[in-house]
Amino acid sequence: MSAYRTAAGYSLLALAKNRLALILLAVFLPLWITVAKTVATPDLFPFRLRASGEILHAGGDKITMISGSLNAVSLLVGFWMFSAARRTGAFDRRLTAAGYPRGALLAAKLTTLLATATVVSAYAVGWMLLYWRPLQPGLLVLAVLAASLIYGAMGLFLSLFLPGEVEGMVAIIMISIIDLAPQNPVAATTANNPLITLLPSYGSLQTALQAGFTHRLTITPLANSLAWLAALSTIALAAFFRHTRTHPAPTTRRSGPVHAYRKR
Amino acid sequence: MVLTVEHVAKRYGSRVVLRDVSLRVGRGRLVGVVGENGAGKTTLLRILSGDLGADAGAVHIDGTLGYCPQYPVLDEELTPRQHLRLFQIAYRLPGLDRAESLFRELGLTPYDRQPVKTLSGGTRQKLNLIVALMHDPEVLLLDEPYQGFDWETYMSFWHIAHRLREAGRTVVIVSHLAYDTQRLDALYRLGDGRLHPAPATGAQG
């Protein structure tokens, strides 16, 4: 328990020292939501909610705000997690080789991801509530949280093979554009194409649109989010275990663990 | 023998780095391994530490192990004090008396609450070394451990190394320069993927 608490505490502390991410959180996220609200037209816009098949009418500014906030939290949490994973990769390996419980370290990483995604999502929805009253605010938080978690896990996943923060950031931006742009019911003519159900943010956008403009709850789109989250997390966690294993020589004999328990 | 290496081989793709490396080191011995850049010294130490897999051969280490990698492997955002706490958990140490004493001896105490990213290269290297020593391992593998040290710290390092030897610890030091051969019990040169005994040894305290 102490191993988990210490690792989680230090991990969150280190995350809170990422100045660029904090600036993005404080400035970029509210700016994006504000710009979406003020620049996009408030005219009602008809679109078909794929999750339920019904036709809804909603203000273009509100739809753009939902889409923009999903985009902003995705980029921010993805970058934050990528940056943290790149920073600690070699150190985690040394720490586990020295005997640090891998399960505790892993649980600490998941806690960090969940805490970051929750804070960022609540903050983003808080800003949206300044401009607009969605019909189901709780569901909106859940939808934004799903996007944050997926992109956070994607940050961990991308850190496995991309060398630096610039590469990670560019990759996350490109993925987010490819993910969200074709789904936007205001801007895209592709929003009705069945292939969009396969995109990482499909579940979040559909759930957020439901939360904003209906009193109903269709949870099917969140199954898509859950599948993405499970797949990316599983790959990232498997890679963590692979990365932190030790390599005894083919016929190595050791009298104990590499860095064994030592009573003093 | 505390450390026995038998016919270890390693290649990266078509490039053979270690052909056939064998080594036997007894308790309380201070051994140096030198070689040119790219000779495979770091590869050998990484294999001995378990950080890297070998293609063939056997390694036997009788006791606890401490490994100091060539470049500081630390968390830039954490302080030296926080590193001690993490490795205290990793090594399951009841206290940090030994680590505190090493902090004082290597002059790290004034920096113990500063994030690693604000420390100089030499100061980071001190922490890198202390993390490998703080659990008083029976076998120590040190890869260029005094890079960036000033003269005083360099001398402190050798003082610590000799104290470890007197306490029966086994120390293997890798270096690309054979500066300190007179301080060692034995010296080996890594060349052509093999370890060759080298002359000019004879430990001084």
Side-chain angles (χ1 to χ4, degrees):
Chain A
M1 196 60 192
S2 168
Y4 162 73
R5 274 206 308 268
T6 305
Y10 287 172
S11 179
L12 287 168
L13 196 70
L15 226 60
K17 290 182 181 174
N18 187 330
R19 283 188 194 162
L20 178 58
L22 288 176
I23 291 170
L24 291 175
L25 178 66
V27 180
F28 167 81
L29 208 147
L31 189 68
W32 196 306
I33 291 171
T34 305
V35 166
K37 169 66 187 167
T38 50
V39 173
T41 173
D43 294 347
L44 288 182
F45 189 86
F47 67 96
R48 192 170 75 89
L49 185 67
R50 176 170 284 276
S52 61
E54 66 191 304
I55 302 295
L56 299 175
H57 291 79
D61 56 344
K62 297 181 183 72
I63 296 173
T64 307
M65 193 161 51
I66 287 176
S67 175
S69 67
L70 288 178
N71 197 193
V73 298
S74 301
L75 296 182
L76 181 54
V77 179
F79 165 68
W80 221 335
M81 289 298 119
F82 178 89
S83 172
R86 288 300 312 167
R87 192 191 78 248
T88 60
F91 185 67
D92 286 343
R93 189 173 161 82
R94 184 175 192 185
L95 205 52
T96 49
Y100 207 94
R102 287 202 294 181
L105 207 54
L106 197 58
K109 288 187 182 302
L110 292 177
T111 303
T112 308
L113 169 60
L114 187 61
T116 309
T118 304
V119 168
V120 172
S121 305
Y123 182 72
V125 173
W127 270 93
M128 279 197 274
L129 291 179
L130 285 179
Y131 298 116
W132 165 54
R133 286 280 149 197
L135 296 177
Q136 301 184 76
L139 190 60
L140 184 61
V141 173
L142 192 65
V144 180
L145 179 63
S148 300
L149 286 171
I150 287 171
Y151 273 80
M154 193 179 291
L156 298 177
F157 169 71
L158 291 173
S159 74
L160 299 173
F161 45 85
L162 292 180
E165 287 193 352
V166 174
E167 291 86 343
M169 195 67 194
V170 170
I172 291 166
I173 290 172
M174 295 304 290
I175 291 169
S176 180
I177 290 172
I178 294 166
D179 179 15
L180 277 163
Q183 297 190 59
N184 189 330
V186 176
T189 54
T190 48
N192 282 330
N193 190 302
L195 282 178
I196 67 160
T197 59
L198 301 175
L199 293 169
S201 288
Y202 168 77
S204 284
L205 186 60
Q206 290 292 310
T207 307
L209 291 171
Q210 270 192 91
F213 312 114
T214 76
H215 286 288
R216 279 178 296 284
L217 171 60
T218 310
I219 56 166
T220 332
L222 281 177
N224 163 293
S225 303
L226 212 57
W228 270 100
L229 183 59
L232 289 170
S233 303
T234 305
I235 296 170
L237 298 186
F240 173 81
F241 273 101
R242 191 169 186 278
H243 178 69
T244 54
R245 70 185 169 168
T246 51
H247 301 263
T251 54
T252 292
R253 292 168 289 133
R254 293 180 197 269
S255 61
V258 175
H259 299 270
Y261 186 122
R262 180 176 184 80
K263 277 202 166 171
R264 294 164 64 88
Chain B
M1 289 293 135
V2 181
L3 169 65
T4 309
V5 183
E6 293 166 354
H7 309 295
V8 162
K10 177 72 181 176
R11 64 167 67 213
Y12 296 115
S14 61
R15 191 168 75 91
V16 178
V17 180
L18 303 176
R19 287 180 196 283
D20 182 2
V21 172
S22 295
L23 177 69
R24 292 162 69 81
V25 186
R27 193 172 300 280
R29 299 278 287 173
L30 189 51
V31 171
V33 175
V34 295
E36 294 172 0
N37 293 334
K41 304 182 296 295
T42 294
T43 296
L44 175 60
L45 230 56
R46 287 185 64 201
I47 289 171
L48 300 191
S49 74
D51 189 39
L52 183 69
D55 297 334
V59 176
H60 178 214
I61 292 173
D62 186 10
T64 51
L65 177 66
Y67 170 50
C68 178
Q70 184 177 11
Y71 299 105
V73 176
L74 305 165
D75 187 332
E76 298 255 304
E77 295 292 349
L78 300 183
T79 66
R81 173 72 40 190
Q82 289 165 337
H83 280 81
L84 289 197
R85 175 70 190 128
L86 286 170
F87 280 91
Q88 181 185 6
I89 293 169
Y91 296 135
R92 294 163 175 81
L93 302 175
L96 288 171
D97 297 351
R98 180 178 163 78
E100 303 276 6
S101 160
L102 288 165
F103 259 49
R104 284 192 294 277
E105 196 166 357
L106 289 173
L108 199 60
T109 311
Y111 308 101
D112 73 344
R113 294 186 193 278
Q114 291 185 21
V116 164
K117 67 181 176 188
T118 66
L119 303 178
S120 70
T123 310
R124 290 176 196 214
Q125 182 61 14
K126 290 176 191 176
L127 180 59
N128 193 39
L129 179 63
I130 290 171
V131 162
L133 293 176
M134 62 186 275
H135 58 310
D136 195 16
E138 274 132 351
V139 178
L140 254 170
L141 306 173
L142 309 177
D143 196 348
E144 309 264 6
Y146 33 72
Q147 286 186 96
F149 282 1
D150 54 34
W151 179 252
E152 198 179 325
T153 314
Y154 175 75
M155 294 309 291
S156 297
F157 165 77
W158 281 112
H159 182 68
I160 292 168
H162 284 278
R163 206 172 57 217
L164 288 168
R165 183 183 59 180
E166 283 160 19
R169 306 296 177 241
T170 300
V171 184
V172 178
I173 299 176
V174 154
S175 176
H176 65 290
L177 296 169
Y179 275 146
D180 309 297
T181 52
Q182 79 284 359
R183 299 178 189 275
L184 304 167
D185 294 315
L187 178 69
Y188 295 88
R189 180 172 296 279
L190 187 59
D192 191 31
R194 293 181 176 83
L195 273 182
H196 309 281
T201 58
Q204 293 177 353

